[in-house]
Every structure is written in C-alpha cells, then in structure tokens.
C-alpha cells in the first residue's frame, strides 16, 4: 500500500522536476542557424525552437512594420499548445523538423473530434493528403492559411511550415494581422482567438505566455514588498538555507530527522533537515499558523490562488504548489514559499538543501495565501 509522506508525494521514485532556468549565452552563427547574439535557455523548450522564436521577433518589423509588442514568449505560448515546441522531433541546424508534425485529416469524418470538412488546397504538398486538409508544422498551420502567412525566415528561398524558423515567423505575421499592439492584453486575446476560435484555447495560451515571459525576464509583478507576517515567514525560511533535504523531516520547531528513506537513497532517518512541506510548516509556525503536514493538504489553507491566474497573481509569502496534474490538487507533490520576482525558497528534493531558485516551469499548480 502506498503511503503519503513528507511533501505529499507517493512513495515512488523521486523525480527531479525540471526547473525553468534563464542563462544568457552566446549563440555562434553558422550557415544554417540564425545569427542571434543572445538566446536564453528555458526548460521544456528545445534550444533550436527558442532560437526560432527569437529570430522571428527580430525579423518581424520588416514583414509587418505596424505591429508592436511581439515577444518570443507569445510565440512560445502558441507553440506550447500546438506542438509542445516540437519536442520529440529532430530539429536540424537549418530548422527543418523531422518527422513532420501533422494534425488529423479534416475530412468531416469526426476523426480527432473534427466534424467539418476542409477541401484540399495544396495537392498534399505540405499535409500529405490531396483529398482534404490538415494542420501542419510546430504552429499547426492549415496549408490554405500558410499560403498567405508563410515566410522564409532562414533564407533558403522556401517558406516551409515544417521549418522552425519559417513557421515561427509565419505565426508572428498571422498574429500581427494588419498591425496589432500585442502589448495590449485585449488585442493579444483577439490575436490568439483568431488563431483558434476557442476561449479555452486563448486562456491556455495566455497562461503559458505569462509563465514564460514573467519567469524568464525576472520582471514578475510582485505587488507590495513583503511586510509584516509575510516578511517573518520569508525570513524564517531563508534562515534555513543550506539545511539538508530530509524525507519527512522538519516540523514547527525546526529541522528534524527524516522518518523514512527516499527511493533514491539520498535521504533517510540519519539526515536532519527539511522536506518541502516541513520547511513551509516551520516558516508559517513562526507567525502562529499551523499548516497540515503534506503539500497537497496545505493547498486547502487560506485563499487558494488558481494556476490559471499565473505566477503574476502570487505575492511574497504565498505558498506555491506543483502537481503532476495542475488541475487536480490531490496530485500536488511540492510546495515552496514565493519570494517575488519569479523566485521561491524550497527544499527541492533528496540530495539537495534548502535553497532559493526560479519557480519551476513544469506542473505549476497555483498558490495559497494563509496570511
């Protein structure tokens, strides 16, 4: 029988959740790659795809001079929903993606939830079917739409929706229309809705845009600086920086020996320290708030902050959660304390210590405000 313990994880292999890191680095131009001077690294986005997003933003003013507010995060938000950034595919230096990313055939049969037939417009050149249409490439263009929006962004004299650079620039052109200000939230929503006429789709894309842009730029709106009890909670947690991770360790009184061994073997009853929910329990105890022991139950305390609001809704001192399924609180497996500027303090995992780091990109499940 599986038993909940520590951070609220099941006694399964302790998997290291990817962390969104932004490290500015030089990208050496080659005959095949865009000559960008700096491109960040973002967990979950292949470097070559991120380069394509940056390249599209750089080239866009020549294509749609009246468009304003385009950012790489806007393109990343679209591509995250449409193809998960072509993850699992091979992306060449020239940006060519293999195998091709093909959506369901839109022949009206209902396959893939489609009940509307789209007549063929490309003779199967891009989508492999000469009897109907289907969306293609990392940005899932219909061939008919690509005819108007497609651009050659890698200077090979071909506008190819299966090429990362071309597709990203084509998506940027399409989102801009005749000239939008995408820094305006209303116009950004309209552009995304035009891309896919679904309010749920718009909300999903905006959520990813907010995560990428806020976490990566370090300009997350944090509201008022931490004061009062929030400052006390944060100070208490920061004072534990460097204390070892201990599976099941930590309580309202401070670090303690772990109550079990972690599956990785890096934590056990011989280590005095904190696990993630042990650290938050201790920090909040310093202001008289008694939290439940596991991360998933801590999500029930105070005001719940839905993941759909994005990290921008968090304030310093809030609990911040991560889950296997962000829409299901019972799958929450990690908790930290939000510091502002897209950062948190937490006890990450066995083999580490209490530390400050960027919010994790994967599994963000919102927060809670016990104060």
């Amino acid at each position: 029988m599986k038993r909940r313990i520590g951070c609220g994880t099941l006694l399964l292999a302790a998997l290291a959740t990817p962390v969104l890191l932004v490290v500015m680095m030089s990208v050496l131009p080659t005959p095949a790659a865009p000559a960008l001077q700096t491109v960040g690294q973002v967990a979950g986005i292949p470097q070559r795809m991120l380069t394509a997003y940056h390249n599209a933003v750089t080239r866009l003013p020549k294509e749609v001079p009246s468009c304003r507010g385009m950012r790489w995060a806007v393109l990343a938000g679209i591509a995250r929903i449409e193809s998960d950034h072509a993850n699992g595919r091979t992306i060449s230096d020239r940006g060519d993606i293999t195998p091709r990313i093909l959506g369901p055939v839109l022949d009206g049969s209902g396959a893939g939830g489609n009940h509307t037939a789209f007549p063929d417009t490309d003779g199967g050149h891009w989508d492999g079917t000469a009897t109907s249409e289907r969306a293609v490439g990392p940005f899932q263009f219909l061939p008919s739409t690509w005819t108007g929006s497609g651009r050659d962004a890698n200077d090979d004299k071909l506008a190819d929706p299966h090429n990362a650079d071309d597709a990203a620039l084509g998506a940027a052109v399409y989102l801009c229309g005749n000239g939008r200000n995408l820094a305006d939230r209303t116009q950004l929503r309209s552009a995304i809705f035009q891309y896919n006429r679904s309010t749920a789709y718009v909300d999903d894309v905006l959520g990813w845009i907010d995560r990428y842009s806020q976490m990566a730029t370090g300009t997350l709106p944090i509201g008022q600086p931490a004061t009062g009890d929030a400052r006390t909670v944060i100070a208490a947690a920061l004072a534990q920086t460097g204390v070892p991770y201990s599976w099941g360790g930590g309580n309202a009184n401070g670090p303690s020996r772990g109550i079990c061994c972690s599956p990785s073997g890096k934590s056990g009853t011989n280590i005095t320290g904190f696990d993630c929910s042990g650290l938050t329990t201790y920090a909040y105890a310093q202001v008289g708030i008694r939290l439940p022991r596991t991360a998933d139950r801590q999500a029930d305390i105070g005001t719940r902050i839905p993941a759909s609001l994005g990290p921008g809704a968090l304030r310093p001192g809030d609990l911040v959660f991560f889950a296997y399924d962000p829409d299901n609180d019972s799958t929450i497996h990690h908790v930290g304390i939000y510091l502002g500027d897209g950062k948190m303090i937490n006890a990450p995992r066995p083999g580490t210590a209490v530390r400050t780091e960027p919010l994790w990109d994967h599994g963000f499940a919102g927060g809670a405000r016990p104060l």
Side-chain angles (χ1 to χ4, degrees), residues 104-111 113-119 132-133:
V105 176
L106 304 176
D107 58 4
S109 66
N114 146 56
H115 298 281
T116 303
F118 287 77
S132 188
E133 294 271 80

Side-chain angles (χ1 to χ4, degrees), residues 297-309:
R297 291 183 58 200
Q298 290 184 1
D300 296 329
I301 303 302
T303 301
R304 187 73 167 92
I305 304 167
S308 60
L309 296 181

Side-chain angles (χ1 to χ4, degrees), residues 45-297:
I45 303 181
Q47 184 69 17
R48 187 61 185 82
M49 289 299 295
L50 189 59
T51 298
Y53 306 153
H54 279 269
N55 184 53
V57 173
T58 300
R59 289 176 174 256
L60 182 63
K62 293 183 179 180
E63 302 292 339
V64 190
S66 58
C67 186
R68 293 178 292 157
M70 177 58 73
R71 297 165 286 134
W72 71 264
V74 172
L75 298 174
I78 295 284
R80 171 61 176 79
I81 300 301
E82 295 295 348
S83 68
D84 192 22
H85 308 294
N87 271 303
R89 260 66 174 188
T90 297
I91 309 171
S92 73
D93 288 343
R94 297 198 65 84
D96 296 318
I97 298 171
T98 53
R100 290 183 166 188
I101 302 172
L102 300 171
V105 176
L106 304 176
D107 58 4
S109 66
N114 146 56
H115 298 281
T116 303
F118 287 77
D120 176 68
T121 63
D122 69 333
H125 178 67
W126 296 124
D127 60 7
T129 174
T131 60
S132 188
E133 294 271 80
R134 57 180 168 186
V136 299
F139 284 87
Q140 289 291 278
F141 275 98
L142 287 176
S144 56
T145 306
W146 182 252
T147 298
S149 298
R151 296 293 189 275
D152 172 21
N154 66 349
D155 301 321
D156 64 355
K157 310 303 181 183
L158 175 67
D160 183 351
H162 297 287
N163 177 275
D165 297 316
D166 295 357
L169 183 56
V173 169
Y174 185 80
L175 290 166
C176 281
N178 293 325
R180 289 188 172 101
N181 178 10
L182 299 179
D184 180 275
R185 191 77 167 187
T186 300
Q187 293 188 49
L188 178 59
R189 290 190 68 93
S190 295
I192 300 170
F193 186 77
Q194 177 181 312
Y195 207 95
N196 187 323
R197 295 180 180 278
S198 161
T199 54
Y201 176 87
V202 173
D203 290 339
D204 283 346
V205 170
L206 284 173
W208 282 103
I209 292 172
D210 289 342
R211 292 180 211 182
Y212 289 139
S213 59
Q214 292 171 348
M215 292 180 187
T217 62
T219 59
L220 197 66
I222 62 173
Q224 297 298 317
T227 58
D229 286 349
R231 182 184 294 275
T232 301
V233 167
I234 289 173
L238 289 173
Q240 305 306 310
T241 300
V243 173
Y245 182 99
S246 180
W247 190 280
N251 54 45
N253 297 317
S256 65
R257 287 181 177 273
I259 61 176
C260 187
C261 53
S262 72
S264 68
K266 295 180 180 179
S267 178
T269 57
N270 63 322
I271 297 179
T272 298
F274 292 100
D275 66 10
C276 68
S277 55
L279 177 66
T280 54
T281 296
Y282 168 74
Y284 270 88
Q286 308 315 302
V287 295
I289 294 178
R290 190 175 187 85
L291 295 180
R293 185 57 184 83
T294 58
D296 59 332
R297 291 183 58 200

